[in-house]
Amino acid sequence: QKEVEQNSGPLSVPEGAIASLNCTYSDRGSQSFFWYRQYSGKSPELIMFIYSNGDKEDGRFTAQLNKASQYVSLLIRDSQPSDSATYLCAGLSGYSTLTFGKGTMLLVSP
Amino acid sequence: DGGITQSPKYLFRKEGQNVTLSCEQNLNHDAMYWYRQDPGQGLRLIYYSQIVNDFQKGDIAEGYSVSREKKESFPLTVTSAQKNPTAFYLCASSPLGQGDNEQFFGPGTRLTVL
């Protein structure tokens, strides 16, 4: 059974701080990982993906992947109140299907 | 504009009725997906299709049916056999390939059983 685990939160950080969101996965065959942001009542939107061990940076966002530890993380620097949302981690296994975690709610206070 | 459209945005169904949710994409993507999301839960895969006239069951296919007669369209029917259909339904599409098969989501349909 493929599983992706996330702490449901909420994770509360003050404006300007670094938010760290974590995800673990059970399927060693997972090739790529995706972070989606979902505002309440809306559909998920892709923030970034990563498929190589190490870090990948895009603006204020950094994704980290450690395949040996089966661990993925997303760092958000200079957090803003507009970053308050649920963040979904998903792993790609096989050819095209994603397995999603339940998401972590992030609250950024002004 | 390229994208994925879903209709209706809100849908109310009486118990025992079948309802069909529409999903259309003009991104020329080969693969399309249907997910269900319950409050406080992640997305669970209902069905997916990688090519016209072919589709596969996901993790929770019971009580649902799909068709893929055109590349652009992947409608989902929620049948009366689905015992707890109230949920947020999301359609997605992606190009096929290796590695970065990112999925793009439509705006969703919120189904409520009365």
Side-chain angles (χ1 to χ4, degrees), chain A:
Chain A
Q1 181 75 9
K2 303 170 189 173
E3 290 184 344
V4 174
E5 299 287 342
Q6 295 181 257
N7 188 321
S8 62
L11 172 66
S12 296
V13 300
E15 184 175 358
I18 296 175
S20 178
L21 303 160
N22 305 313
C23 168
T24 60
Y25 61 95
S26 63
D27 181 13
R28 285 194 173 273
S30 295
Q31 303 146 354
S32 306
F33 296 88
F34 300 78
W35 283 101
Y36 286 85
R37 177 175 62 199
Q38 186 176 27
Y39 293 111
S40 180
K42 303 295 185 182
S43 61
E45 52 181 333
L46 182 70
I47 298 175
M48 60 191 308
F49 65 89
I50 185 169
Y51 53 83
S52 298
N53 269 329
D55 296 357
K56 179 181 179 183
E57 187 174 318
D58 184 0
R60 296 188 295 114
F61 300 96
T62 299
Q64 300 174 317
L65 174 59
N66 183 324
K67 291 187 178 182
S69 299
Q70 296 178 247
Y71 179 87
V72 191
S73 66
L74 179 71
L75 300 178
I76 306 174
R77 290 181 298 281
D78 189 23
S79 295
Q80 301 296 310
S82 59
D83 294 325
S84 297
T86 296
Y87 290 79
L88 301 169
C89 172
L92 177 67
S93 298
Y95 199 39
S96 66
T97 59
L98 291 178
T99 300
F100 283 84
K102 293 183 178 181
T104 297
M105 180 183 294
L106 173 66
L107 298 175
V108 181
S109 54

Side-chain angles (χ1 to χ4, degrees), chain B residues 58-94:
Chain B
D59 299 320
I60 55 165
E62 184 175 353
Y64 300 97
S65 65
V66 294
S67 63
R68 186 88 185 276
E69 297 178 0
K70 299 185 301 181
K71 187 176 183 178
E72 302 80 17
S73 179
F74 191 41
L76 172 75
T77 297
V78 184
T79 75
S80 57
Q82 171 49 239
K83 297 306 178 187
N84 187 21
T86 295
F88 188 39
Y89 289 87
L90 289 158
C91 178
S93 70
S94 73

Side-chain angles (χ1 to χ4, degrees), chain B residues 36-39 64 84-89 109-113:
Chain B
R36 168 183 173 140
Q37 187 175 36
D38 294 282
Y64 300 97
N84 187 21
T86 295
F88 188 39
Y89 289 87
T109 292
R110 195 166 297 278
L111 173 63
T112 302
V113 173

Side-chain angles (χ1 to χ4, degrees), chain B residues 12-105:
Chain B
F12 298 90
R13 187 194 96 171
K14 293 181 180 179
E15 286 191 16
Q17 283 183 334
N18 292 355
V19 291
T20 298
L21 283 58
S22 169
C23 178
E24 304 277 335
Q25 56 99 0
N26 61 4
L27 300 168
N28 199 33
H29 287 168
D30 292 300
M32 296 187 74
Y33 312 82
W34 274 106
Y35 293 92
R36 168 183 173 140
Q37 187 175 36
D38 294 282
Q41 302 295 311
L43 278 62
R44 292 185 290 167
L45 183 63
I46 304 173
Y47 269 98
Y48 66 102
S49 168
Q50 297 178 348
I51 194 170
V52 173
N53 292 323
D54 189 42
F55 46 83
Q56 288 78 40
K57 294 181 179 179
D59 299 320
I60 55 165
E62 184 175 353
Y64 300 97
S65 65
V66 294
S67 63
R68 186 88 185 276
E69 297 178 0
K70 299 185 301 181
K71 187 176 183 178
E72 302 80 17
S73 179
F74 191 41
L76 172 75
T77 297
V78 184
T79 75
S80 57
Q82 171 49 239
K83 297 306 178 187
N84 187 21
T86 295
F88 188 39
Y89 289 87
L90 289 158
C91 178
S93 70
S94 73
L96 287 181
Q98 297 296 323
D100 55 340
N101 286 354
E102 56 182 286
Q103 294 185 13
F104 298 86
F105 285 85

